[in-house]
Amino acid sequence: MSEHNSNKINHCLNRLILTEMKDPDKLDPYIILKEICDFEDLQEMKKLFRKCCQVSLSEKYIWDEGIPGNLLYIYEQLEKLIESCYLIHKKKGFKKKLTKKTKQKDFEKGKNHPELPASLSQAEFVNPRIVINDFFETYSLLEWKQCLHSWMEAGLSNFSVLENIKTKDLLPYVYGMEKLLEASYRIVDISIKKI
């Protein structure tokens, strides 16, 4: 990757640069994911995400979970999540790791897991990097961030996000973000078990 392209991508990682105060090439995205996952458990984070979606779809301001800053903070966490997953996605050898065969016994180990994500397939549960790959094949990093910003802006305003996005982009955003949340928590769970 040329220096010019690297800088272009680094500018899209503005949330991580602002919060971590480091060059993105020196960040460990797995540590950042763990910090995000430590904020709330998966089920509570999914509830917060759905609440954010609900207020963004409303045609008036209805956020009732404390001050508007709380909503802004959740969106900042989601932006860090997207950027961290992008760093994982762009790592060398990422595509090779996706081709690892899924083992039935690996999935069965997670069968009794109390927070087994409902929307992850067996292959995605065993290898959550598949979700990250699919996420960035659906939209680019910049497109995801623009979409997230539109939802945040609507949630903090008196208009619906449907005034700024196409209806056909509604479900890919909600479904993509929920799967990314589930995959991120799964990645953290896997990395903790390896320690």
Side-chain angles (χ1 to χ4, degrees):
M1 181 179 287
S2 72
E3 184 65 34
H4 177 69
N5 286 339
S6 179
N7 284 336
K8 184 177 178 182
I9 289 169
N10 286 351
H11 291 298
C12 291
L13 299 171
N14 60 317
R15 179 63 50 204
L16 287 178
I17 292 170
L18 284 170
T19 57
E20 303 299 321
M21 303 296 287
K22 287 184 183 176
D23 181 329
D25 295 329
K26 296 184 175 149
L27 293 173
D28 184 341
Y30 297 98
I31 291 173
I32 296 165
L33 279 185
K34 183 171 179 347
E35 290 169 359
I36 294 167
C37 294
D38 286 346
F39 169 64
E40 287 288 357
D41 67 33
L42 175 59
Q43 298 310 318
E44 188 60 30
M45 194 63 180
K46 284 173 66 174
K47 277 190 217 172
L48 287 171
F49 173 71
R50 289 175 184 157
K51 179 73 174 180
C52 290
C53 291
Q54 178 187 4
V55 300
S56 296
L57 287 165
S58 174
E59 293 182 1
K60 61 182 183 174
Y61 180 80
I62 61 167
W63 180 254
D64 60 1
E65 300 289 325
I67 61 173
N70 292 351
L71 179 65
L72 183 61
Y73 181 77
I74 293 165
Y75 274 106
E76 288 172 352
Q77 293 302 302
L78 294 173
E79 187 176 9
K80 282 174 57 176
L81 178 91
I82 291 170
E83 291 180 8
S84 298
C85 288
Y86 181 77
L87 288 174
I88 292 169
H89 175 70
K90 76 172 197 151
K91 282 189 181 245
K92 289 181 182 175
F94 181 77
K95 299 270 187 196
K96 289 179 185 174
K97 291 179 182 176
L98 288 177
T99 61
K100 179 185 171 198
K101 293 283 182 194
T102 302
K103 297 177 186 170
Q104 181 67 26
K105 66 178 181 174
D106 290 339
F107 184 69
E108 288 171 357
K109 285 180 196 172
K111 195 156 72 172
N112 297 321
H113 195 281
E115 292 186 18
L116 181 63
S119 65
L120 297 184
S121 69
Q122 175 181 341
E124 292 167 340
F125 181 81
V126 173
N127 187 357
R129 290 170 170 249
I130 295 169
V131 174
I132 294 172
N133 188 55
D134 291 346
F135 187 82
F136 290 108
E137 283 182 4
T138 303
Y139 298 118
S140 70
L141 172 63
L142 186 56
E143 289 169 329
W144 277 112
K145 286 174 58 93
Q146 288 170 331
C147 196
L148 187 71
H149 181 77
S150 293
W151 283 77
M152 178 189 68
E153 185 179 45
L156 292 167
S157 303
N158 284 325
F159 63 86
S160 171
V161 70
L162 293 174
E163 294 178 31
N164 287 339
I165 66 165
K166 296 174 185 156
T167 307
K168 70 178 181 78
D169 294 329
L170 183 80
L171 286 179
Y173 168 78
V174 174
Y175 188 64
M177 287 299 299
E178 281 206 355
K179 281 192 82 163
L180 192 69
L181 276 166
E182 292 175 357
S184 298
Y185 277 80
R186 179 70 181 134
I187 287 170
V188 169
D189 189 41
I190 291 168
S191 64
I192 288 171
K193 287 178 182 176
K194 288 182 179 177
I195 297 175

